Amino acid sequence: MHRRLLLTGFAAMTLTACASTPRGRIGPDGLPLPQIYTINPGDEDDIQFRMLDSVNTLRAAAGVPAVQLDPQLTAASATHARDMQAQNRPWLFGSDGSSPLDRARIAGFRGRVLGENISESYETELETLAAWMKQDDTRRVVLDPAARRMGLAWSQEAAGKLWWSMTMGTDPQFQAPIQTMAGFTPAITR
């Protein structure tokens, strides 16, 4: 009796599982359509730290030092992500002709910019990082051994398209004050 009840229960569960409707939308080929990755207000810290942790995990595996988030590089990346969206094209130059170096300097970054990765996609930050790691040039930016600072930002269109920008740089470089002796000021050559 118990065996029959148990088998009937398993059969009912199996049929119920088969009859359930798939989550999400299904395309004409019967496969699920991709979900739009929507970034909500307040998600910024989670996304930036998830990316930072992932980048540092990759860097540790490559034997290079970790990076930390830098507010000036993040501001430069945000400016560029919004500008790429406005131009509707992913490229390294701003609509004003600015380069990654220019944007970092304008944002107040005092280190040396090592590189910038950009992306136009509907993908999450981790899918974007995975795509960058598949290409030699963008992987070199992520794993640059001299990098100690990272900026990450994005701009999302109403339809869901994301414009990602990551900028890597060195620690800030401070110029040492010029030492002077009484009555003598050294000449500064350029």
Side-chain angles (χ1 to χ4, degrees):
M1 175 81 169
H2 285 22
R3 182 174 175 214
R4 190 179 308 181
L5 187 60
L6 188 60
L7 288 174
T8 305
F10 281 130
M13 285 182 6
T14 303
L15 290 174
T16 303
C18 291
S20 66
T21 58
R23 297 181 69 196
R25 298 179 311 159
I26 301 296
D29 58 0
L31 297 175
L33 293 173
Q35 298 287 328
I36 293 177
Y37 181 59
T38 302
I39 299 176
N40 297 309
D43 290 345
E44 184 172 315
D45 288 345
D46 290 342
I47 290 169
Q48 287 180 329
F49 285 109
R50 195 166 32 248
M51 180 68 99
L52 179 67
D53 289 344
S54 298
V55 165
N56 282 334
T57 298
L58 292 167
R59 291 177 64 82
V64 296
V67 294
Q68 63 183 2
L69 286 173
D70 184 276
Q72 286 83 24
L73 286 179
T74 296
S77 291
T79 297
H80 193 51
R82 287 188 303 268
D83 191 46
M84 286 189 299
Q85 179 183 341
Q87 295 181 70
N88 195 33
R89 66 178 171 177
W91 73 322
L92 296 174
F93 293 97
S95 57
D96 60 356
S98 64
S99 70
L101 303 172
D102 297 328
R103 290 186 293 276
R105 182 182 42 77
I106 290 167
F109 182 65
R110 297 181 51 93
R112 186 167 48 95
V113 172
L114 300 169
E116 179 180 67
N117 287 340
I118 58 171
S119 176
E120 168 195 13
S121 73
Y122 289 89
E123 297 175 332
T124 69
E125 64 278 3
L126 299 182
E127 291 169 324
T128 300
L129 178 59
W132 286 337
M133 293 302 289
K134 289 178 184 176
Q135 293 183 234
D136 288 340
D137 57 342
T138 52
R139 182 177 48 252
R140 274 193 297 273
V141 171
V142 173
L143 300 179
D144 190 318
R148 299 295 183 276
R149 304 294 176 116
M150 178 182 92
L152 175 72
W154 58 89
S155 184
Q156 187 166 32
E157 296 177 3
K161 185 190 292 184
L162 285 155
W163 299 86
W164 294 98
S165 176
M166 171 196 277
T167 310
M168 300 294 262
T170 65
D171 277 332
Q173 300 169 347
F174 297 100
Q175 293 182 348
I178 296 174
Q179 302 251 342
T180 61
M181 297 185 329
F184 175 77
T185 303
I188 299 174
T189 58
R190 297 192 196 272

